[in-house]
Amino acid sequence: MSDEIERAEILDWWSAERGRIFVELRERFPLLLLKIDQEIDQMPIKAFVNRSGFVADKINPIVREWIEAEYRRYSAKLETSLKESMAEVEGTALCGKWSYSDMLTAGAATGFSVVPFAALPFVGGLIVTSGLVFTTASLAVVPANMVGVGIGALGLGPSVRGWAVERLRNSVRTKVHEDLTLRVLGDPNQPEIPSLGGTLFKELDSIMAARLGKLT
Amino acid sequence: MIGGIPFTIPSQFMAAHATGQIVRYGAVLKDAHTGRIVAHLQETGLLQRAVGTGLSFDPSGASGLIGVVQNAQISQKITQLQSAVGVVQNLQLVNLVSSVAGIGVTAASTAIILGRLNAIGDRIGRLEQGVEALPGVFRKLELRNTMIEIGTALERFESADNRRDKDQTVRAVEEKLHYGFDRMLDGVRTTAETPGVDAEAIRCLLASLSVCGAAQIKAFLWLNEREMAAGQARRQFVKLMELSEMFPKDVLMDRLDCEADDADRLEADLAGLRQRFAAIPSLVENLIALDLDGRDYLERLDAERDHPLLVLPASAAA
């Protein structure tokens, strides 16, 4: 008996959910950046010397909390959407027997879905693993260590120092934004770097594979 | 029974549709509880002529290729038709006709298919002539040439009835349409993989893919090679699913760097194609189960003058 209709409906659901995640993540991501920017705006001068420490202490907890909350939010929505779609396509009987996590476990790809986000490397770790070490000193006219200890000794006035600090602050902001974009939205060209978007897409792919597999 | 074929009219399903017992997915009516197909909706010659004549309408039947004004014209025409023949609006007739899925384009007269193909070919020709923002890969595919070959094949299909070697002619047409389908599929894949490609180019290719696929199945039915039609319909569906998996909505939005509206239209076109291609295997299985002659089926639909839509109930054996 033909099952093409069910297959098409499952793919409709999968594509629509991927599209929704793509759009919503881009709509909500600026909320995280706003929070991070507030921290960077308050970044003390001495923190420029140990920027990775600042990122680990101040930025990472915010990012971790935000990503975990978003992950839970998306998972809950996907669970609801999956149940509705399964009731429509596979029928209410089967729908009652399978949960979102069951479908994930049954999916072709395994493992990624149970990786707790808290355990994944955040901005600091990500920077190291991806080779994108904070090399932003070169972007600033005045190196960070000079801002911390040397500007006064050089006899530069407060306006120059303020300008240099702002340059450094902006370069930190730019770099953190880049890393967070990779971390939250992901990059299809760098799938090896874990991201919230990439993880959700993999989960959806796995669920689709499981649903299609059950039809055969 | 209409014209020797167990067609019924859609109004018989309206009550069940209104109460949610039956839902529509493209051209298929399904039992909401079991998911089982209960009937196939088919557009008839009356509907085809209503939307296909007197309008500058549509290259393809693809929603994205029908302008707002044209849609309004179609809508008006269909509304008149509805009031004339009493088709209940619950089935969203306008959406069906103006979507890429259409309904039963498989059964549309060859002349209308040819008209659609020519209009798409003209659009592709204009795109190829444009210098701006069209990647070289699109030109290299030489799709316009393929469209011309397919158009020639369809003209031969149209005149097949008057030929002594009619079956042989339609077999050759079917082969050409098979080639055209695969070429268009490759065209969509290659074009959509090119970052920044114009969304309209992809919509044109999807529309021509749709026409080629439908016309090939029609050729098999015309030859009454129903098993071949069912097998090829399944293969077409599998290919379309593979294509769809390569280009979910997020990839379309990311790759094309287009406006959300463009991505929505493209996704709607792809979903419409899936609906259409998904329905054809079960339709052909139904013809086999009911032991209906493929050519009789096509001719009966084309000859219908009273009802814009007919319903072929699913056989229990299908």
Side-chain angles (χ1 to χ4, degrees), chain B residues 267-318:
Chain B
E267 166 64 8
D269 284 354
L270 254 177
L273 278 183
R274 284 195 295 271
Q275 287 182 347
R276 174 199 282 177
F277 282 90
I280 293 178
S282 61
L283 170 66
V284 180
E285 280 177 11
N286 204 21
L287 296 182
I288 294 169
L290 295 167
D291 195 24
L292 296 176
D293 180 274
R295 199 183 306 182
D296 286 350
Y297 176 77
L298 295 173
E299 287 174 353
R300 183 66 199 87
L301 282 170
D302 195 41
E304 175 61 33
R305 294 292 179 272
D306 295 329
H307 302 288
L309 286 177
L310 288 175
V311 179
L312 185 67
S315 159

Side-chain angles (χ1 to χ4, degrees), chain B residues 29 57 59 68 71 74 92 95 98-99 132 166 175 206 248 289:
Chain B
L29 297 179
F57 155 65
V68 173
N71 250 334
I74 293 169
Q92 298 170 312
N95 291 346
S98 62
S99 77
E132 69 283 352
K166 55 180 75 171
E175 188 180 343
L206 284 176

Side-chain angles (χ1 to χ4, degrees), chain B residues 43-54:
Chain B
E43 61 191 339
T44 68
L46 174 65
L47 185 59
Q48 288 287 348
R49 280 165 189 78
V51 298
T53 58

Side-chain angles (χ1 to χ4, degrees), chain A residues 139-205:
Chain A
L139 296 175
V141 175
V142 182
N145 58 356
M146 289 178 67
V147 174
V149 297
I151 287 178
L154 288 171
L156 299 175
S159 64
V160 173
R161 184 163 54 182
W163 169 80
V165 168
E166 277 316 298
R167 287 290 299 265
L168 280 170
R169 199 182 301 280
N170 284 335
S171 69
V172 169
R173 194 192 322 274
T174 302
K175 193 71 187 72
V176 168
H177 282 199
E178 284 174 4
D179 290 336
L180 283 178
T181 302
L182 203 56
R183 187 77 181 81
V184 172
L185 304 182
D187 180 353
N189 298 318
Q190 300 183 76
E192 72 281 4
I193 297 178
S195 67
L196 176 59
T199 300
L200 290 166
F201 285 160
K202 279 182 186 170
E203 290 191 358
L204 270 172
D205 295 352

